[in-house]
């Protein structure tokens, strides 16, 4: 789920920084920081968190509506308290997504390989 830079994007960014006067260590540090920020954003905006949260929120609202339905509203649905059952189903689905997120969190990005000190970039 974490996004990594494509090799050509990394090479373009590195070349721009080198032309601007940055050393190879500065370039590697900058690329590493950007990859970490990207991975953090991917974990924060995991769809399971968003979907689960919305289903729980709407499930609570619809369940409360179902608990307060009048007999006339239940009779309109042929005697079934549809708001209550739908709300409970939405709650169950939302809780499922949040438990899934808790049990299987997004994998952290793989640590970058260390660059040897004697490494000379091909030019």
């Amino acid at each position: 789920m974490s996004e990594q830079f494509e090799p050509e994007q990394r090479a373009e960014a590195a070349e721009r920084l080198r032309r601007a006067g940055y050393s190879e260590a500065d370039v590697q540090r900058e690329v590493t920081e950007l990859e970490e920020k990207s991975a953090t954003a991917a974990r924060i905006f995991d769809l399971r968190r968003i979907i689960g949260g919305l289903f729980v929120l709407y499930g609570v609202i619809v369940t409360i509506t179902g608990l307060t339905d009048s007999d006339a509203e239940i009779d309109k649905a042929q005697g079934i308290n549809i708001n209550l059952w739908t709300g409970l189903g939405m709650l169950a689905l939302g809780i499922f997504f949040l438990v899934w997120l808790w049990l299987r969190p997004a994998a952290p990005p793989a640590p970058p390989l260390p660059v040897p000190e004697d490494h000379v970039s091909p030019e």
Side-chain angles (χ1 to χ4, degrees), residues 107-122:
L113 297 174
V115 177
E117 293 298 322
D118 60 344
H119 175 70
V120 178
S121 62

Side-chain angles (χ1 to χ4, degrees), residues 51-60 63 84-100:
I51 291 170
L54 285 174
F55 267 99
V56 167
L57 176 68
Y58 293 145
V60 167
T63 301
L84 178 63
W85 288 109
T86 303
L88 291 174
M90 292 173 79
L91 272 173
L93 183 62
I95 290 170
F96 166 75
F97 271 95
L98 294 176
V99 167
W100 180 21

Side-chain angles (χ1 to χ4, degrees), residues 34-91:
L34 288 173
E35 285 178 342
E36 288 172 0
K37 287 179 184 178
S38 176
T40 301
R43 282 192 303 274
I44 290 172
F45 295 110
D46 190 344
L47 284 179
R48 295 174 294 180
R49 180 184 319 260
I50 296 167
I51 291 170
L54 285 174
F55 267 99
V56 167
L57 176 68
Y58 293 145
V60 167
I61 293 169
V62 175
T63 301
I64 291 171
T65 302
L67 290 173
T68 60
D69 276 348
S70 67
D71 288 336
E73 291 170 335
I74 294 173
D75 288 340
K76 280 197 273 184
Q78 298 179 351
I80 299 171
N81 194 341
I82 195 72
N83 286 333
L84 178 63
W85 288 109
T86 303
L88 291 174
M90 292 173 79
L91 272 173

